[in-house]
Amino acid sequence: YTIQTPSKITGSLAFIIKKLGLISFDYSRKNYSKMEFGTSFEDPFGEGWNWTDDLNLDISDNLTVANSYKIGAEIRHHNISYRGGYRIDGSPYANTDYYSDRKGFSLGVGYKFRNSTIDLSFEKYNKQYNHQLYDAGLTNQAVIDNNNTIIKLSITSIL
């Protein structure tokens, strides 16, 4: 089978403030409803049915355009960089009650020495979604509040 993934358009702006630091903004747009599956499978009964037809209909009915916004800043003082940012990643689902936007922030600090840097970052983001626990019967959906925290340490060296 074949798959056509959604295209992505990104635009970025950055303002450099002398040697003190910078402020940046990124915008991205992805149209998930344009995803499409295809196959070379031929219907043995000659009815023209293809398993990807139903899947592609579900995709176009349930997915939509997702926009992403990111803003960040960095301040440099001698060999140390301080960073902070905020992001909103739009939900790819047409019904945002099912799966909400992802929102979060990040903080970081970096130290540059000789040809190397060491960076420590902290990221926290949140998203909510509804989950049907059982496929049969009249059951309520569970509302999942998903909070994630990521801490990263990286060392980069240019040889």
Side-chain angles (χ1 to χ4, degrees):
Y1 68 91
T2 59
I3 183 173
Q4 177 182 326
T5 59
S7 59
K8 180 178 179 180
I9 297 171
T10 301
S12 300
L13 290 171
F15 300 100
I16 299 172
I17 306 165
K18 297 184 181 178
K19 292 186 178 186
L20 179 65
L22 61 90
I23 297 171
S24 65
F25 175 76
D26 289 340
Y27 167 77
S28 296
R29 179 181 174 91
K30 233 182 201 185
N31 190 348
Y32 287 90
S33 69
K34 298 295 182 188
M35 287 181 15
E36 191 172 286
F37 283 86
T39 182
S40 59
F41 172 77
E42 295 193 22
D43 180 11
F45 304 108
E47 296 175 12
W49 177 85
N50 188 323
W51 67 272
T52 60
D53 293 344
D54 292 337
L55 180 58
N56 289 331
L57 185 61
D58 282 346
I59 288 170
S60 65
D61 285 348
N62 295 307
L63 299 179
T64 188
V65 173
N67 296 302
S68 173
Y69 308 92
K70 301 174 189 172
I71 188 164
E74 176 177 288
I75 297 173
R76 292 185 184 173
H77 182 68
H78 299 292
N79 292 351
I80 301 175
S81 297
Y82 304 95
R83 300 179 196 96
Y86 183 76
R87 74 185 297 160
I88 299 173
D89 295 317
S91 173
Y93 291 95
N95 181 356
T96 56
D97 289 338
Y98 174 69
Y99 195 89
S100 75
D101 296 345
R102 180 172 75 165
K103 299 175 183 177
F105 70 94
S106 62
L107 300 169
V109 63
Y111 180 72
K112 183 174 182 171
F113 55 98
R114 294 190 213 117
N115 292 334
S116 302
T117 58
I118 185 166
D119 289 292
L120 178 65
S121 65
F122 171 86
E123 181 180 357
K124 186 163 187 70
Y125 64 89
N126 172 276
K127 60 185 171 190
Q128 287 110 20
Y129 58 95
N130 296 328
H131 180 69
Q132 187 75 33
L133 298 175
Y134 303 102
D135 290 335
L138 299 173
T139 62
N140 292 335
Q141 292 183 339
V143 178
I144 309 296
D145 191 14
N146 188 343
N147 291 299
N148 291 289
T149 302
I150 301 169
I151 298 173
K152 295 179 190 174
L153 177 66
S154 64
I155 300 172
T156 307
S157 183
I158 300 172
L159 302 174

